[in-house]
Amino acid sequence: MTILIVDDDKEIADLVEIHLIAEGYEVYKAYHGKHALEILQKVEIHLIILDIMMPGIDGIQLCKQIRENNAVPIIMLSAKSADGDKIQGLAMGADDYVTKPFNPLELIARVKSQLRRYTQFNNGQNGEKSEHQIQLENLSINRETHTVIAYEKEVKLTPIEFEILYLLASNRGKVFSTEEIFERVWNEKIFEANNTVMVHIRRIREKIELGSGASQIIKTVWGVGYKIE
């Protein structure tokens, strides 16, 4: 599988490349946003590791441009003090983030997790025995084809967004805390308070709801979490 590293720090890009190649991945590197977009036009990329702080087109704007027509998983790299940048990156469509300085083994683990989900998403497969179709009043989800219809309009979701929506829709009426959602979807424990789940929920709502101001599908249970009736 092919992975694109986008980082203007060549030492970090080279370090990540070494670990990815050791795992058997084919690696492309870009040191600025324009070069990254050129690679994406020529090569099928299965995952992007994207630094936020870059000259010219920064990582957040690049993420937004990529998300206009590509659902490839994106892992953002961000400075530990830049919480606002991390939230903004997630809001633009990133699937996950890793803070600098980072352990390369942690990054590799996140890469593998995202690629497993992306592969299942594209192949329309999962390891669970469940009904393929979930039909609600204004929402239809097909697990086999990974398609979502909201208010009679097909909606394009990233693999992470699809997993969150499917989790809520397949457990109608059950309230999931942000911690539960994170642990079920990302398959790892949440060790610190963050807004990752909240930002993804907001993105899903923007795509599947009518924008009237009140949430029509995903309900917030204040102080507890989220549910779909």
Side-chain angles (χ1 to χ4, degrees):
M1 303 190 84
T2 55
I3 297 177
L4 173 61
I5 304 168
V6 189
D7 197 322
D8 64 316
D9 189 324
K10 295 185 178 182
E11 291 186 2
I12 291 179
D14 290 344
L15 174 64
V16 174
E17 179 187 30
I18 290 170
H19 285 274
L20 290 172
I21 290 176
E23 293 292 331
Y25 299 113
E26 183 178 357
V27 178
Y28 291 82
K29 292 184 293 185
Y31 302 119
H32 53 79
K34 183 179 179 181
H35 187 202
L37 292 173
E38 291 173 353
I39 292 174
L40 286 170
Q41 289 179 349
K42 299 175 182 177
V43 182
E44 181 182 6
I45 297 295
H46 300 105
L47 182 140
I48 301 171
I49 298 172
L50 176 58
D51 185 38
I52 288 182
M53 298 298 294
M54 293 189 300
I57 304 174
D58 64 21
I60 291 173
Q61 291 302 315
L62 181 58
C63 181
K64 182 179 179 181
Q65 290 186 41
I66 293 170
R67 274 293 172 259
E68 290 177 357
N69 53 21
N70 200 325
V72 62
I74 298 175
I75 299 176
M76 303 288 279
L77 300 179
S78 65
K80 195 172 184 63
S81 60
D83 289 334
D85 286 341
K86 289 186 293 188
I87 293 171
Q88 193 174 359
L90 291 168
M92 289 298 104
D95 297 285
D96 201 356
Y97 65 83
V98 175
T99 56
K100 294 181 179 181
F102 57 86
N103 183 333
L105 297 180
E106 176 192 354
L107 178 59
I108 295 301
R110 291 178 182 269
V111 165
K112 290 180 177 179
S113 176
Q114 291 294 333
L115 285 175
R116 280 196 300 270
R117 184 175 290 111
Y118 185 60
T119 301
Q120 292 172 356
F121 187 86
N122 284 330
N123 291 341
Q125 299 173 348
N126 75 326
E128 302 173 4
K129 292 182 179 179
S130 60
E131 295 182 3
H132 293 309
Q133 188 80 20
I134 296 177
Q135 186 66 52
L136 306 180
E137 182 179 356
N138 295 304
L139 181 69
S140 176
I141 304 172
N142 190 303
R143 181 69 172 181
E144 188 173 27
T145 61
H146 283 84
T147 54
V148 175
I149 307 294
Y151 294 96
E152 301 181 355
K153 180 181 179 182
E154 184 172 353
V155 178
K156 294 187 179 299
L157 300 180
T158 67
I160 284 283
E161 292 166 353
F162 184 92
E163 291 295 334
I164 293 174
L165 183 63
Y166 186 83
L167 173 65
L168 296 176
S170 59
N171 294 274
R172 293 177 61 180
K174 176 178 171 55
V175 181
F176 287 90
S177 67
T178 54
E179 290 81 4
E180 287 177 306
I181 294 172
F182 189 90
E183 291 175 11
R184 293 279 291 271
V185 173
W186 277 263
N187 295 315
E188 60 182 273
K189 292 286 185 181
I190 186 168
F191 294 106
E192 61 180 20
N194 63 66
N195 296 306
T196 303
V197 172
M198 181 188 72
V199 174
H200 279 86
I201 292 285
R202 187 172 70 208
R203 276 172 33 203
I204 296 169
R205 281 173 166 164
E206 289 173 353
K207 293 181 179 182
I208 69 172
E209 300 187 347
L210 296 177
S212 61
S215 177
Q216 303 97 12
I217 296 176
I218 300 177
K219 306 295 183 182
T220 299
V221 181
W222 295 108
V224 183
Y226 303 95
K227 68 175 180 178
I228 290 179
E229 293 290 0

